[in-house]
Amino acid sequence: GEDVEQSLFLSVREGDSSVINCTYTDSSSTYLYWYKQEPGAGLQLLTYIFSNMDMKQDQRLTVLLNKKDKHLSLRIADTQTGDSAIYFCAESIRSSSNTGKLIFGQGTTLQVKP
Amino acid sequence: DVKVTQSSRYLVKRTGEKVFLECVQDMDHENMFWYRQDPGLGLRLIYFSYDVKMKEKGDIPEGYSVSREKKERFSLILESASTNQTSMYLCASSRPDRIAPQHFGDGTRLSIL
């Protein structure tokens, strides 16, 4: 069945780069997404990548997609304490009624130490 | 500023009660979603609505129902609350061309005693 896997925890020092990894199983995914959840808040859509792209860059964020290995990563350059949050990756799949839906990973907690 | 508003941040109810969670969005979005968030499990889709009075079951609809009488409002109903429904509930919305939820509410932490 569909599954999205992430490591649960990552700790980095302020100013370093963070790399959050994700693997997924459905090869027919059209879009893959990264969401950020700050403490006590809902999720915020950070960025997404179309499945025929290898890379997408948006300011400090770089998304890399290896479709062959079904591996997605989010790199945050110059990580700041405000980046401390839970990061979720999600893949889009077709549901049984042919509408789309997302499958979310478990979330990676990013801890940024001053 | 666009907003998805959930009526309660914290809610405590008793087993067997009928519980209503309300969600309102001000972006005129057709799509609205209810998710449940549990530690180590990520988000799981309970129900999805793509228009007024239209709904589709998600991955874990058992024990829940929904109501969408107006475009801006999407209600989640726990017909007879049970302790295994203690969780964080998140509402979200998106435009009709987007299957991915774009805007989330801040969540309702529901405890069933």
Side-chain angles (χ1 to χ4, degrees):
Chain A
E2 312 104 6
D3 199 16
V4 177
E5 295 282 337
Q6 299 178 241
S7 54
L8 294 183
F9 188 77
L10 176 65
S11 180
V12 300
R13 293 224 169 264
E14 193 173 17
D16 288 351
S17 291
S18 308
V19 180
I20 302 170
N21 294 302
C22 173
T23 57
Y24 61 97
T25 55
D26 194 317
S27 57
S28 66
S29 295
T30 49
Y31 286 93
L32 295 121
Y33 302 85
W34 284 104
Y35 288 85
K36 176 184 180 183
Q37 184 180 34
E38 294 180 0
L43 276 69
Q44 169 194 351
L45 179 59
L46 274 182
T47 187
Y48 61 92
I49 188 166
F50 189 50
S51 58
N52 69 354
M53 297 170 64
D54 298 323
M55 186 181 88
K56 181 178 179 182
Q57 187 149 5
D58 184 1
Q59 299 182 334
R60 292 190 296 122
L61 304 180
T62 303
V63 179
L64 294 177
L65 176 60
N66 181 328
K67 201 172 180 185
K68 174 175 165 287
D69 294 338
K70 299 192 185 76
H71 183 266
L72 181 73
S73 67
L74 174 70
R75 179 177 179 269
I76 305 172
D78 187 25
T79 312
Q80 303 297 307
T81 53
D83 294 323
S84 293
I86 304 175
Y87 291 82
F88 292 91
C89 73
E91 62 167 340
S92 63
I93 63 167
R94 285 280 163 203
S95 67
S96 55
S97 63
N98 208 35
T99 56
K101 69 172 187 178
L102 294 196
I103 303 294
F104 284 84
Q106 312 94 311
T108 299
T109 298
L110 176 63
Q111 179 189 68
V112 182
K113 297 180 181 176
Chain B
D1 198 19
V2 296
K3 222 165 163 48
V4 176
T5 303
Q6 294 183 231
S7 53
S8 305
R9 290 300 304 270
Y10 301 94
L11 208 52
V12 180
K13 296 290 182 181
R14 296 215 171 268
T15 304
E17 280 192 70
K18 190 168 185 175
V19 181
F20 293 85
L21 302 184
E22 305 288 347
C23 175
V24 176
Q25 50 97 1
D26 63 3
M27 293 157 284
D28 204 34
H29 282 167
E30 278 76 7
N31 295 340
M32 294 189 76
F33 309 80
W34 274 107
Y35 287 91
R36 174 177 168 157
Q37 182 180 10
D38 298 290
L41 295 178
L43 273 71
R44 293 178 291 168
L45 181 64
I46 304 171
Y47 266 98
F48 160 59
S49 170
Y50 49 92
D51 205 345
V52 174
K53 296 191 188 298
M54 306 305 285
K55 63 185 179 186
E56 186 172 310
K57 290 180 181 178
D59 299 312
I60 50 165
E62 296 79 17
Y64 303 95
S65 62
V66 290
S67 172
R68 184 113 181 254
E69 296 297 317
K70 293 185 178 181
K71 192 175 185 181
E72 67 270 19
R73 186 179 295 271
F74 192 33
S75 304
L76 179 70
I77 303 151
L78 285 66
E79 298 291 344
S80 177
S82 64
T83 54
N84 64 11
Q85 293 178 307
T86 292
S87 188
M88 171 70 88
Y89 290 87
L90 292 167
C91 175
S93 72
S94 71
R95 291 172 2 205
D97 58 333
R98 301 285 176 94
I99 63 166
Q102 294 168 272
H103 302 280
F104 278 81
D106 287 338
T108 296
R109 187 164 291 283
L110 175 64
S111 297
I112 306 296
L113 305 179

